[in-house]
Amino acid sequence: MITIIIPTFNAAAYIAQTIESVIKQTYTNWKMIVVDDHSTDGTCEIIARYIAQDARIDLIRLAENFGRPARPRNIGLQNTLTPWIAFLDADDIWHPEKLAIQLKAAQQGNFDLLCTGMVDFTGIAPPPAGIDRSNTKHIHLSSFTLFSKNRIPTSSVIAKTESIRKMGGFNESAHYKAIEDYDLWLRMSVNNMHLGKVAHPLVQYRILANSISRNKKQHAKKVAWLVYTQLKENKPGWIFLYPYFICSYVAMSFYYRVIKKTL
């Protein structure tokens, strides 16, 4: 069984499509915890309609706005009772076979965390593509790979609940805004947890103009700081590779997100 954590804030325009993509999963043994960061639009009313129809869905409403997804995700983590956990942002969409494919692969490979590929979209999401079975094999993501580029889309992640808790969840400091997910993946990796990826894009990532990670220059500075900090604290023998990692990160970001529009 798996618990899906969805942090929301003023997501009334998208949340129904996101929830529907979970309801349509071929794997049905799931729970959903939506943690609302004090929305002021009709987000919670929409969620309430789904709760009335499906007992697997719960809503936690924060008394005041935190302003970033780290705390809502951690609150969801604290309320999780299942051995597996998944993260899904309130405007992204899952392929109907995502959980079935991932859970089977994660258990076969004994992964602490397994992500998938994703594809960008704007406006109305295209229908889910067919599954290329040759592209559903899982690969290991090494620390070297992750320092070179964050290859883990958060909305694609499933992980062992205990493994995420062992790392203390997401860093809630404001300094980690928009990089709290990358920070957690790096910490898991340098602590010798088994991270992997299914190459097939099983997540559709909605491009929004007001996304908190859309300021490329500011985000790049945060990534550079995070990579250096993690190297200094956890991989001091690799510190001489810092220039390589940053150059690789910039080049691969341009290739995957600007040219391919996927990850």
Side-chain angles (χ1 to χ4, degrees), residues 36-77:
D36 183 72
D37 196 15
H38 201 70
S39 290
T40 56
D41 63 356
T43 298
C44 291
E45 288 74 10
I46 294 171
I47 297 167
R49 292 200 292 269
Y50 281 99
I51 291 173
Q53 300 168 13
D54 196 323
R56 295 173 296 179
I57 303 173
D58 290 320
L59 171 65
I60 298 174
R61 303 183 69 173
L62 303 191
E64 57 183 26
N65 178 255
F66 185 69
R68 47 195 181 276
R71 180 166 296 172
R73 287 178 185 145
N74 284 339
I75 289 173
L77 178 64

Side-chain angles (χ1 to χ4, degrees), residues 135-242:
N135 205 25
T136 59
K137 296 179 182 178
H138 47 270
I139 61 170
H140 174 65
L141 293 176
S142 66
S143 293
F144 191 91
T145 299
L146 288 176
F147 275 112
S148 301
K149 175 72 174 85
N150 181 11
R151 299 299 309 282
I152 302 178
T154 305
S155 285
S156 78
V157 166
I158 68 168
K160 292 179 180 177
T161 304
E162 187 57 35
S163 297
I164 299 291
R165 285 177 174 160
K166 187 176 180 180
M167 291 293 99
F170 296 89
N171 194 312
E172 297 184 12
S173 167
H175 200 62
Y176 285 80
K177 182 177 181 179
I179 57 169
E180 61 270 282
D181 51 353
Y182 187 30
D183 168 68
L184 178 54
W185 316 148
L186 285 175
R187 285 189 283 119
M188 293 179 73
S189 181
V190 298
N191 278 279
N192 299 315
M193 292 192 177
H194 193 192
L195 280 60
K197 184 166 188 171
V198 172
H200 194 90
L202 298 176
V203 175
Q204 292 172 295
Y205 175 80
R206 191 186 303 270
I207 300 294
L208 297 173
N210 62 344
S211 171
I212 61 174
S213 62
R214 297 303 290 172
N215 186 324
K216 299 298 185 184
K217 186 176 181 179
Q218 181 181 14
H219 186 67
K221 289 181 178 179
K222 285 191 170 187
V223 166
W225 169 82
L226 178 63
V227 169
Y228 181 80
T229 300
Q230 287 283 357
L231 287 172
K232 185 178 179 181
E233 293 180 358
N234 298 303
K235 290 285 188 180
W238 289 9
I239 200 72
F240 73 98
L241 291 170
Y242 176 69

Side-chain angles (χ1 to χ4, degrees), residues 81-96:
L81 300 176
T82 58
W84 288 93
I85 195 167
F87 300 107
L88 175 58
D89 287 347
D91 49 11
D92 295 337
I93 298 170
W94 280 354
H95 189 285

